[in-house]
Amino acid sequence: MQEDLIARRRRLMGPNVPTFYDRPLHIVGARGVWLQDASGRRYLDCYNNVPHVGHCHPRVVEAISRQAATLNTHTRYLHTGILDYIEALTAHLSHGLAQVIMVCTGSEANDIALRMAQAVTGNRGLVATDSTYHGNTTAVSQLSARRPPIGGYPEHVRLVPAPDALPGGLSGREQAHAFAANVARAIAQLEQAGFGLAGMMLDPIFANEGLPELPEDFLAPAIAVIRGAGGLVLCDEIQPGFGRVGTHWWGHERTGFAPDVVTLGKPMANGHPVAAVVTRADIMESFRGSFGYFNTFGGNPVSCAAAMATLRVIEEEGLLENAARVGGRMLEHLRALDHACLARVNGHGLFLSAEVIDTDGAPSGKLAHRIVEAMKARGVLIGRIGRHENILKFRPPMVIGPQEADMAMDA
């Protein structure tokens, strides 16, 4: 049965379509923090941040069904759902971030953010870290380190060493200034090449880089450099946003800086394809004056209903508090584990990481892969991240409880 499905995928979808695990799972149902495969076996989901408030949350399902039975169209007609949602969303944001473009994917959102930076500055130069990921469009894939673009990285893009690649033995303050120095060097190169600086895109908790443990003001020197060069700070909240860090609604709040543009995606509608770009009115005016942008499906009534229901569940079911409480419990258990091949452990709310090394102290993606497979065999689904794919990633739905968290850590 599974072999038939794999062969059918290859025939209909082409080669090299990614799946998780050596032997892919055939998932047929889900509820809360549990996934069920075709054989009836259940798996604890400690990987997926897309079902942010739990798989098939009844309030989200009902909102989608009700709106789909009433109206679904695009934003060239007036409808109140998008306006109500933007008001509810931006009530949780500050720094003048009050205007929104609704889209369907994080890749689209990040693509627009890059164009906003170009519209405001008149420059093309972009900076990102050298082990990040921001999406799949042509523009944002040029910032991503997973696979270099065909023909190499374009001249208007500079990638700087991610924090986990900085020289060892530095204090937090020294690391911050070393990172800022690399950003300054990249900007100087862009200016010398005639591109200038449009902006820098970053994840405020460096999730894809491996969730390094950094001081809260780590980014302050780098942001001062970006602003000093006239660039915009483009903040990708697609992973840390909507309360995942536990202490705050947004990663940039936890890190302590004011972004110019914030992008949102995956978790904001609990699996329905919804994403957004949030910015100040002056930046939106520059963008709208420079680009004719319209998205057929972005901000449609069904998507807005799904997003609004998800937002209300986060607010009314205390999911930030749950992320702080249960995430803290998981982190405590992780830090209590003692093994020669388990190095740095870190966590922000319900986003945790554990670095895997070999007996010589070198990053071991091979061993991390074995652990992920072994966890699957024990009924717990996790992933891995980082430059060497040697960092275990725990990122469960926000409704995970203490009992399920203990199960994951015991495994």
mmCIF file of all heavy atoms in Angstrom, residues 340-361:
data_model
loop_
_atom_site.group_PDB
_atom_site.id
_atom_site.type_symbol
_atom_site.label_atom_id
_atom_site.label_comp_id
_atom_site.label_asym_id
_atom_site.label_seq_id
_atom_site.Cartn_x
_atom_site.Cartn_y
_atom_site.Cartn_z
ATOM 1 N N ALA A 340 27.046 12.250 26.122
ATOM 2 C CA ALA A 340 28.229 12.845 25.499
ATOM 3 C C ALA A 340 27.929 13.425 24.122
ATOM 4 O O ALA A 340 28.632 14.328 23.663
ATOM 5 C CB ALA A 340 29.336 11.794 25.389
ATOM 6 N N CYS A 341 26.899 12.921 23.466
ATOM 7 C CA CYS A 341 26.569 13.391 22.120
ATOM 8 C C CYS A 341 25.479 14.456 22.115
ATOM 9 O O CYS A 341 25.027 14.875 21.047
ATOM 10 C CB CYS A 341 26.153 12.218 21.236
ATOM 11 S SG CYS A 341 27.521 11.100 20.861
ATOM 12 N N LEU A 342 25.053 14.882 23.291
ATOM 13 C CA LEU A 342 24.066 15.948 23.393
ATOM 14 C C LEU A 342 24.763 17.202 23.908
ATOM 15 O O LEU A 342 25.234 17.247 25.040
ATOM 16 C CB LEU A 342 22.932 15.545 24.345
ATOM 17 C CG LEU A 342 21.773 16.539 24.462
ATOM 18 C CD1 LEU A 342 21.047 16.677 23.129
ATOM 19 C CD2 LEU A 342 20.796 16.087 25.545
ATOM 20 N N ALA A 343 24.839 18.219 23.041
ATOM 21 C CA ALA A 343 25.547 19.448 23.414
ATOM 22 C C ALA A 343 24.533 20.503 23.839
ATOM 23 O O ALA A 343 23.710 20.248 24.719
ATOM 24 C CB ALA A 343 26.411 19.917 22.245
ATOM 25 N N ARG A 344 24.566 21.651 23.216
ATOM 26 C CA ARG A 344 23.734 22.792 23.614
ATOM 27 C C ARG A 344 22.240 22.484 23.495
ATOM 28 O O ARG A 344 21.775 21.929 22.502
ATOM 29 C CB ARG A 344 24.085 23.987 22.714
ATOM 30 C CG ARG A 344 23.236 25.213 22.921
ATOM 31 C CD ARG A 344 23.648 26.304 21.948
ATOM 32 N NE ARG A 344 23.533 25.881 20.554
ATOM 33 C CZ ARG A 344 22.427 25.958 19.848
ATOM 34 N NH1 ARG A 344 21.316 26.405 20.410
ATOM 35 N NH2 ARG A 344 22.409 25.566 18.586
ATOM 36 N N VAL A 345 21.496 22.883 24.521
ATOM 37 C CA VAL A 345 20.038 22.785 24.528
ATOM 38 C C VAL A 345 19.485 24.183 24.747
ATOM 39 O O VAL A 345 19.997 24.941 25.576
ATOM 40 C CB VAL A 345 19.562 21.824 25.641
ATOM 41 C CG1 VAL A 345 18.067 21.928 25.850
ATOM 42 C CG2 VAL A 345 19.952 20.396 25.315
ATOM 43 N N ASN A 346 18.442 24.541 24.004
ATOM 44 C CA ASN A 346 17.885 25.883 24.146
ATOM 45 C C ASN A 346 16.393 25.834 23.852
ATOM 46 O O ASN A 346 15.890 24.869 23.252
ATOM 47 C CB ASN A 346 18.586 26.860 23.191
ATOM 48 C CG ASN A 346 18.278 28.302 23.517
ATOM 49 O OD1 ASN A 346 17.980 28.633 24.672
ATOM 50 N ND2 ASN A 346 18.331 29.176 22.527
ATOM 51 N N GLY A 347 15.680 26.867 24.279
ATOM 52 C CA GLY A 347 14.255 26.913 24.002
ATOM 53 C C GLY A 347 13.650 28.263 24.273
ATOM 54 O O GLY A 347 14.091 28.997 25.162
ATOM 55 N N HIS A 348 12.639 28.608 23.468
ATOM 56 C CA HIS A 348 11.812 29.789 23.684
ATOM 57 C C HIS A 348 10.370 29.303 23.641
ATOM 58 O O HIS A 348 9.836 29.020 22.566
ATOM 59 C CB HIS A 348 12.035 30.835 22.597
ATOM 60 C CG HIS A 348 13.469 31.224 22.391
ATOM 61 N ND1 HIS A 348 14.304 31.602 23.419
ATOM 62 C CD2 HIS A 348 14.207 31.305 21.260
ATOM 63 C CE1 HIS A 348 15.495 31.906 22.932
ATOM 64 N NE2 HIS A 348 15.471 31.717 21.624
ATOM 65 N N GLY A 349 9.717 29.189 24.794
ATOM 66 C CA GLY A 349 8.347 28.697 24.805
ATOM 67 C C GLY A 349 8.275 27.310 24.205
ATOM 68 O O GLY A 349 9.034 26.408 24.582
ATOM 69 N N LEU A 350 7.378 27.143 23.220
ATOM 70 C CA LEU A 350 7.204 25.833 22.587
ATOM 71 C C LEU A 350 8.003 25.730 21.296
ATOM 72 O O LEU A 350 7.530 25.228 20.272
ATOM 73 C CB LEU A 350 5.724 25.551 22.338
ATOM 74 C CG LEU A 350 4.962 25.107 23.598
ATOM 75 C CD1 LEU A 350 3.467 25.021 23.331
ATOM 76 C CD2 LEU A 350 5.491 23.764 24.121
ATOM 77 N N PHE A 351 9.228 26.211 21.346
ATOM 78 C CA PHE A 351 10.200 25.998 20.277
ATOM 79 C C PHE A 351 11.515 25.657 20.971
ATOM 80 O O PHE A 351 12.136 26.508 21.599
ATOM 81 C CB PHE A 351 10.362 27.251 19.419
ATOM 82 C CG PHE A 351 10.892 26.987 18.036
ATOM 83 C CD1 PHE A 351 10.369 27.658 16.942
ATOM 84 C CD2 PHE A 351 11.911 26.077 17.815
ATOM 85 C CE1 PHE A 351 10.839 27.433 15.658
ATOM 86 C CE2 PHE A 351 12.388 25.832 16.538
ATOM 87 C CZ PHE A 351 11.859 26.513 15.457
ATOM 88 N N LEU A 352 11.919 24.383 20.866
ATOM 89 C CA LEU A 352 13.099 23.918 21.577
ATOM 90 C C LEU A 352 14.067 23.256 20.614
ATOM 91 O O LEU A 352 13.665 22.711 19.570
ATOM 92 C CB LEU A 352 12.710 22.920 22.687
ATOM 93 C CG LEU A 352 11.775 23.447 23.777
ATOM 94 C CD1 LEU A 352 10.336 23.086 23.439
ATOM 95 C CD2 LEU A 352 12.138 22.893 25.132
ATOM 96 N N SER A 353 15.350 23.283 20.997
ATOM 97 C CA SER A 353 16.372 22.672 20.155
ATOM 98 C C SER A 353 17.394 21.958 21.016
ATOM 99 O O SER A 353 17.622 22.321 22.176
ATOM 100 C CB SER A 353 17.072 23.743 19.310
ATOM 101 O OG SER A 353 17.788 24.647 20.134
ATOM 102 N N ALA A 354 18.004 20.920 20.437
ATOM 103 C CA ALA A 354 19.064 20.168 21.115
ATOM 104 C C ALA A 354 20.114 19.809 20.077
ATOM 105 O O ALA A 354 19.822 19.128 19.092
ATOM 106 C CB ALA A 354 18.499 18.910 21.764
ATOM 107 N N GLU A 355 21.334 20.273 20.294
ATOM 108 C CA GLU A 355 22.411 20.073 19.335
ATOM 109 C C GLU A 355 23.074 18.714 19.546
ATOM 110 O O GLU A 355 23.437 18.354 20.666
ATOM 111 C CB GLU A 355 23.446 21.181 19.469
ATOM 112 C CG GLU A 355 24.537 21.133 18.422
ATOM 113 C CD GLU A 355 25.460 22.334 18.486
ATOM 114 O OE1 GLU A 355 25.231 23.225 19.330
ATOM 115 O OE2 GLU A 355 26.411 22.380 17.683
ATOM 116 N N VAL A 356 23.232 17.984 18.438
ATOM 117 C CA VAL A 356 23.799 16.637 18.475
ATOM 118 C C VAL A 356 25.209 16.670 17.886
ATOM 119 O O VAL A 356 25.427 17.206 16.793
ATOM 120 C CB VAL A 356 22.912 15.644 17.690
ATOM 121 C CG1 VAL A 356 23.528 14.253 17.694
ATOM 122 C CG2 VAL A 356 21.512 15.594 18.305
ATOM 123 N N ILE A 357 26.154 16.090 18.614
ATOM 124 C CA ILE A 357 27.547 16.037 18.159
ATOM 125 C C ILE A 357 28.029 14.594 18.194
ATOM 126 O O ILE A 357 27.415 13.730 18.817
ATOM 127 C CB ILE A 357 28.459 16.914 19.046
ATOM 128 C CG1 ILE A 357 28.358 16.485 20.512
ATOM 129 C CG2 ILE A 357 28.105 18.391 18.884
ATOM 130 C CD1 ILE A 357 29.279 17.235 21.467
ATOM 131 N N ASP A 358 29.156 14.326 17.513
ATOM 132 C CA ASP A 358 29.733 12.990 17.607
ATOM 133 C C ASP A 358 30.734 12.943 18.756
ATOM 134 O O ASP A 358 30.906 13.927 19.486
ATOM 135 C CB ASP A 358 30.361 12.567 16.273
ATOM 136 C CG ASP A 358 31.525 13.464 15.856
ATOM 137 O OD1 ASP A 358 32.145 14.108 16.731
ATOM 138 O OD2 ASP A 358 31.823 13.522 14.645
ATOM 139 N N THR A 359 31.382 11.820 18.927
ATOM 140 C CA THR A 359 32.276 11.648 20.076
ATOM 141 C C THR A 359 33.502 12.548 20.010
ATOM 142 O O THR A 359 34.177 12.761 21.025
ATOM 143 C CB THR A 359 32.721 10.180 20.201
ATOM 144 O OG1 THR A 359 33.266 9.756 18.933
ATOM 145 C CG2 THR A 359 31.534 9.296 20.554
ATOM 146 N N ASP A 360 33.782 13.111 18.829
ATOM 147 C CA ASP A 360 34.899 14.043 18.683
ATOM 148 C C ASP A 360 34.468 15.496 18.871
ATOM 149 O O ASP A 360 35.282 16.405 18.758
ATOM 150 C CB ASP A 360 35.542 13.897 17.304
ATOM 151 C CG ASP A 360 36.176 12.524 17.109
ATOM 152 O OD1 ASP A 360 36.698 11.985 18.105
ATOM 153 O OD2 ASP A 360 36.121 11.996 15.984
ATOM 154 N N GLY A 361 33.170 15.708 19.115
ATOM 155 C CA GLY A 361 32.663 17.061 19.313
ATOM 156 C C GLY A 361 32.228 17.767 18.055
ATOM 157 O O GLY A 361 31.841 18.938 18.094
#
